[in-house]
Amino acid sequence: MAKATSLLKKKQNSDRTSKIVSMSLSWLFALIFFLLVIFIVVASVPGFKAYGWSILGGNFNMSEEKASVWLPLCVTILISALAILIAAPVGIKTAMFIKYRLPSKYQKSVRIAIELLADIPSVIFGLFACEMLGNVLKYVFHMSTSYNLITTGFMLTFMVLPTIVSLSLNALDGVDKTLISASMVLGNTKTRSIYKICKRDARNGITVGVIIAFARAIGETMAVSMVLQSQGYNPTFNEGFWAVATSGLRSLGALIAANMFAEGGGPALQALLFAFGLFMFIFVMILNGIAMYATKKRNRNKWRWWNKFEKGFGNFIHFIPSQIKIGWEKLTYHSKINKQKNLSQYLSMRIQKNKFVYAYSTYKFIWEIISIVLTLGFLSWIVIDLLGYGGVAITQSTQTIFSFVNNSTGQAFMNTLLIIIIAIGVGLPLSLMIAIYLNEFAKEGKIKKTLLFFIDSLGATPSILFGMFGLIFFIQTVGLSAGGTAGKSIIAGSLTILIVILPVFIRTIQQALQSIPKELRTNSYALGAGKWETIKKIVLPAAKQGITTAVVLSIGRILAETAPLYLTSGLASSSSISLMNPGQTLTTRIYAQIYTANVHDGTSIMYECAFVTLILVLLIILMVHVAIPAYYNHKRRKIIQSSKRIRLQQETFERSKISISKVLTKQDFLKRTTSHKTIRKRKQVERRKKRNNST
């Protein structure tokens, strides 16, 4: 009894300790969000003091201490709107084609290809826009230069396209499959059922995907700063819209990245850039708040005026097409049935022979084909370009892939590997404990919703803001560099990139834990195991595949990031690899070449690093979608086979026991029968003897 009581207390203590530790780490993550906001606000105060109300004015001239935030923000919104206007219809049509037109055996391959487009680092898109895409657009639109807003808008189109496709597919996956068959039974075609029923049912998820893609386009920094390099806002804006569209005016993020370490800028300019970052943060948070609000259907039902406005706007947009459809039907349809006497037969024939239905289906299908061809065509174009020119670059005698001296691709690769090891080594246990608290310990309520809000908000924050926080906190406040508060270091970059990957890391592990059936936990509790013991011995081993996938995805996110490392680890390399020294990564080495004097050598180094990075991204995608599932499926098959073998052995053993028992019972029967026979014979012999003696 005493042993049972002590064991119960031990389990309760371990449960309580694990809950306290995981809850403390969760609130530590919330504290990081508050610190990021507070430090950026505090760092922007000198900028507001130095530039005053000119930040909210309409003039931009830094030499006169006038810097309007609205002009670069207008450029940011312009290129982001151009990207969304192209990417939204193309992405939604691509998702429709993949989900409802493509055979299921090919869907996984196409989704992996879309994932590859999403995981390509932004600086590689910038390189592609400068070298290839810009020249094509320059020829098509007859522009004087390819470094302009039109090129940037098309580049952002293909950067946000995978986000729209993936989130639209996720929304369509949640639609009930029977809706299509039920609609087709009522006389609709498959195309009309898809667009009028399924798309309408998944409208909230698709809308959220478009808003998130728009927020990503606004927060994009490094790729945009590689294309846009002008700050003459007022003269260009005075020349008209086409002059702005064909100019190289910097967006808000590009303006921050280009001037953060500008010579002769001083602390006032740096504080102004923090103020610009604060405006960007507020704008992106508003967009993400709208996206989160739109996901709740009850909120949409509250806004009846919005539903009426949306319906009225849709009717206004479709008024002319509807009238064309009605006129077309009146001209082309002539029925011999008298609609006054046989109305039902007339309507049935009209529905079956409605010529506009086939035109509608053909129109939608053609646009789906165009969309999927554009998406996969651009993916093939950028991959072939990088592999082709990158392959040429790595075969030249000047390549530095296998060199680990100062300012070499080999050293940049080692710096990247070191940052990955530190970030994953610290981030995995931290993310794991926070995900365990959110999924296993936290109850549904305001506390859990608050923590999830902080996680999602931090995950939606533009990466340049993480870099600004890392610069002011880890370097200028803590001094984590060999050069003190004025230097850069790999350890500062590692800790900054750790904050960048934590939201996605936590969410991915939490989804892996949610996928484990609750029956496993209930059965474990019924057998007397505690909560922490159940998590450690049952839940975590079952979620091992999802946790492994989260680790690999986080490595891919680290490879793709540039802005946080540019501000904390720096663009230069040191003579030796050290945590306290600055160090290029593969992506920052690409970005650093835009400042080199030798354009030919700089382009060769860009393609060299892009080739190595693309190969690493391909390996990560193959690991996530092919290697890890194949490994765990193989393990499951082995477990199933071993359990079958054990069950067969048990059945064979039971059969052998039954057969042995049957043999034994038969022998006993024979023994008994033989013994009875001998006794009977003896008795007969004794009777005969008595009879003979009596005679």
Side-chain angles (χ1 to χ4, degrees):
M1 186 67 182
K3 288 183 178 180
T5 305
S6 63
L7 183 62
L8 181 61
K9 287 184 178 180
K10 188 177 180 181
K11 290 180 180 179
Q12 290 176 348
N13 291 332
S14 63
D15 292 346
R16 194 179 300 110
T17 303
S18 58
K19 182 178 180 179
I20 292 172
V21 171
S22 59
M23 183 174 63
S24 302
L25 293 175
S26 300
W27 286 109
L28 175 64
F29 182 86
L31 179 63
I32 292 173
F33 178 79
F34 281 112
L35 285 175
L36 186 143
V37 177
I38 291 169
F39 270 85
I40 291 178
V41 170
V42 171
S44 63
V45 170
F48 284 105
K49 290 181 179 179
Y51 288 84
W53 290 103
S54 68
I55 295 177
L56 301 177
N59 294 324
F60 192 96
N61 191 343
M62 288 187 176
S63 60
E64 298 178 1
E65 293 187 351
K66 293 180 180 179
S68 171
V69 70
W70 303 118
L71 298 180
L73 184 60
C74 286
V75 172
T76 305
I77 294 174
L78 180 62
I79 58 177
S80 302
L82 174 61
I84 292 299
L85 285 174
I86 302 173
V90 172
I92 294 169
K93 293 290 191 300
T94 301
M96 291 290 183
F97 183 86
I98 295 172
K99 179 65 180 178
Y100 297 111
R101 310 289 189 186
L102 204 62
S104 56
K105 61 181 179 180
Y106 299 120
Q107 287 186 13
K108 185 177 179 181
S109 301
V110 176
R111 290 195 181 201
I112 292 174
I114 301 295
E115 187 73 22
L116 172 61
L117 188 61
D119 290 340
I120 294 176
S122 59
V123 289
I124 294 182
F125 278 101
L127 170 63
F128 180 77
C130 293
E131 298 295 326
M132 296 295 296
L133 181 63
N135 293 326
V136 173
L137 295 175
K138 177 183 174 182
Y139 176 77
V140 171
F141 292 102
H142 305 286
M143 298 180 294
S144 59
T145 178
S146 59
Y147 294 87
N148 51 48
L149 301 189
I150 294 177
T151 301
T152 309
F154 276 93
M155 178 191 69
L156 289 176
T157 297
F158 295 106
M159 290 182 70
V160 302
L161 185 61
T163 302
I164 297 176
V165 174
S166 300
L167 294 178
S168 299
L169 281 172
N170 292 339
L172 294 172
D173 288 339
V175 176
D176 190 1
K177 296 180 181 178
T178 59
L179 290 176
I180 296 178
S181 57
S183 177
M184 293 177 68
V185 166
L186 295 175
N188 286 318
T189 61
K190 183 178 179 180
T191 302
R192 188 172 288 273
S193 302
I194 290 171
Y195 282 91
K196 299 298 182 182
I197 307 296
C198 298
K199 183 183 175 183
R200 185 179 294 273
D201 192 66
R203 181 175 57 182
N204 286 346
I206 294 172
T207 304
V208 170
V210 173
I211 294 173
I212 291 174
F214 186 57
R216 185 191 171 187
I218 287 174
E220 180 54 46
T221 302
M222 307 311 290
V224 175
S225 64
M226 293 175 70
V227 182
L228 304 178
Q229 299 174 0
S230 174
Q231 294 181 187
Y233 294 98
N234 290 107
T236 309
F237 270 84
N238 293 331
E239 293 177 5
F241 178 77
W242 183 249
V244 174
T246 55
S247 69
L249 293 176
R250 284 174 172 149
S251 65
L252 197 57
L255 188 68
I256 295 171
N259 292 279
M260 185 60 73
F261 304 115
E263 295 182 2
L269 176 59
Q270 194 176 80
L272 172 69
L273 299 177
F274 276 96
F276 285 174
L278 183 62
F279 276 96
M280 181 191 291
F281 177 77
I282 293 171
F283 194 77
V284 172
M285 286 298 106
I286 291 172
L287 288 176
N288 285 283
I290 294 171
M292 293 174 65
Y293 195 86
T295 56
K296 298 179 181 179
K297 292 184 179 180
R298 61 182 183 181
N299 293 332
R300 292 181 62 87
N301 295 330
K302 289 180 182 178
W303 288 16
R304 294 182 180 179
W305 64 270
W306 173 258
N307 294 329
K308 290 181 180 179
F309 170 77
E310 190 177 13
K311 185 177 180 181
F313 185 75
N315 292 335
F316 174 75
I317 294 296
H318 293 95
F319 176 76
I320 295 177
S322 299
Q323 295 303 317
I324 293 173
K325 179 180 72 173
I326 293 170
W328 174 263
E329 285 300 312
K330 287 181 178 179
L331 290 173
T332 57
Y333 186 81
H334 302 284
S335 175
K336 297 179 180 179
I337 302 171
N338 188 351
K339 62 180 178 180
Q340 299 294 333
K341 296 181 179 180
N342 301 312
L343 183 60
S344 61
Q345 189 177 1
Y346 172 79
L347 292 175
S348 176
M349 291 293 294
R350 187 170 179 84
I351 290 172
Q352 293 175 8
K353 295 184 178 182
N354 188 347
K355 298 177 178 60
F356 192 80
V357 170
Y358 302 106
Y360 177 85
S361 301
T362 305
Y363 170 78
K364 292 293 185 182
F365 184 71
I366 289 173
W367 274 111
E368 289 175 9
I369 294 293
I370 293 172
S371 300
I372 191 69
V373 168
L374 280 174
T375 304
L376 297 181
F378 179 80
L379 174 65
S380 304
W381 186 16
I382 189 171
V383 169
I384 291 172
D385 176 72
L386 294 175
L387 293 179
Y389 285 99
V392 172
I394 65 171
T395 56
Q396 294 180 357
S397 59
T398 55
Q399 62 88 15
T400 58
I401 295 178
F402 302 104
S403 174
F404 301 99
V405 297
N406 186 16
N407 194 24
S408 64
T409 304
Q411 192 185 65
F413 174 77
M414 295 303 297
N415 292 333
T416 306
L417 185 62
L418 185 59
I419 290 173
I420 289 173
I421 292 172
I422 295 172
I424 297 298
V426 179
L428 177 59
L430 187 60
S431 303
L432 188 61
M433 293 304 295
I434 295 173
I436 287 172
Y437 176 75
L438 292 172
N439 196 71
E440 306 295 331
F441 291 108
K443 297 179 181 179
E444 295 294 335
K446 292 184 179 180
I447 295 177
K448 185 175 180 179
K449 288 181 180 179
T450 303
L451 289 173
L452 291 175
F453 170 76
F454 289 142
I455 292 170
D456 294 336
S457 298
L458 203 63
T461 303
S463 58
I464 186 67
L465 296 177
F466 289 106
M468 297 169 73
F469 171 73
L471 172 66
I472 194 172
F473 181 73
F474 293 119
I475 293 178
Q476 296 182 0
T477 303
V478 182
L480 285 178
S481 70
T485 58
K488 305 289 184 295
S489 67
I490 292 176
I491 186 64
S494 302
L495 295 176
T496 305
I497 210 72
L498 168 65
I499 303 174
V500 175
I501 67 171
L502 273 179
V504 179
F505 215 165
I506 294 169
R507 276 301 204 173
T508 310
I509 296 177
Q510 186 192 4
Q511 290 174 1
L513 297 177
Q514 283 179 346
S515 65
I516 307 304
K518 293 182 179 179
E519 290 78 8
L520 290 177
R521 300 173 178 85
T522 307
N523 296 335
S524 178
Y525 299 150
L527 293 173
K531 194 153 194 173
W532 176 245
E533 190 177 5
T534 300
I535 294 169
K536 187 171 61 175
K537 295 183 179 180
I538 303 296
V539 178
L540 291 181
K544 195 181 294 183
Q545 180 178 353
I547 295 171
T548 307
T549 303
V551 172
V552 178
L553 288 174
S554 300
I555 293 173
R557 178 70 186 273
I558 296 170
L559 279 174
E561 286 297 337
T562 307
L565 299 172
Y566 154 64
L567 296 177
T568 52
S569 294
L571 297 180
S573 294
S574 59
S575 57
S576 61
I577 298 175
S578 174
L579 293 179
M580 300 300 289
N581 290 338
Q584 288 180 340
T585 61
L586 289 171
T587 51
T588 57
R589 181 167 169 78
I590 294 174
Y591 185 76
Q593 304 312 310
I594 64 176
Y595 300 106
T596 187
N598 192 329
V599 178
H600 181 268
D601 291 345
T603 304
S604 179
I605 292 173
M606 283 182 175
Y607 274 108
E608 178 184 306
C609 295
F611 181 86
V612 176
T613 307
L614 183 63
I615 296 299
L616 293 175
V617 170
L618 284 170
L619 290 176
I620 287 172
I621 290 174
L622 290 175
M623 286 182 65
V624 170
H625 295 284
V626 179
I628 294 175
Y631 172 73
Y632 282 100
N633 289 335
H634 177 67
K635 285 188 70 175
R636 291 191 194 98
R637 284 195 297 269
K638 287 185 68 176
I639 292 171
I640 293 171
Q641 290 174 358
S642 62
S643 62
K644 285 182 179 179
R645 188 166 56 251
I646 292 170
R647 190 169 64 251
L648 287 173
Q649 290 176 355
Q650 290 177 348
E651 291 176 357
T652 307
F653 180 70
E654 292 293 332
R655 291 196 199 98
S656 63
K657 283 176 65 178
I658 293 170
S659 60
I660 290 170
S661 63
K662 287 182 179 179
V663 172
L664 290 174
T665 52
K666 188 174 181 181
Q667 290 177 355
D668 292 339
F669 176 76
L670 290 173
K671 286 181 181 179
R672 289 175 184 175
T673 52
T674 52
S675 61
H676 284 302
K677 286 180 180 179
T678 53
I679 291 170
R680 200 178 297 116
K681 284 181 180 181
R682 287 176 184 174
K683 287 182 178 180
Q684 289 177 358
V685 171
E686 289 178 354
R687 289 194 195 99
R688 286 175 187 169
K689 285 182 179 180
K690 286 180 180 179
R691 203 180 293 123
N692 291 331
N693 291 331
S694 62
T695 55

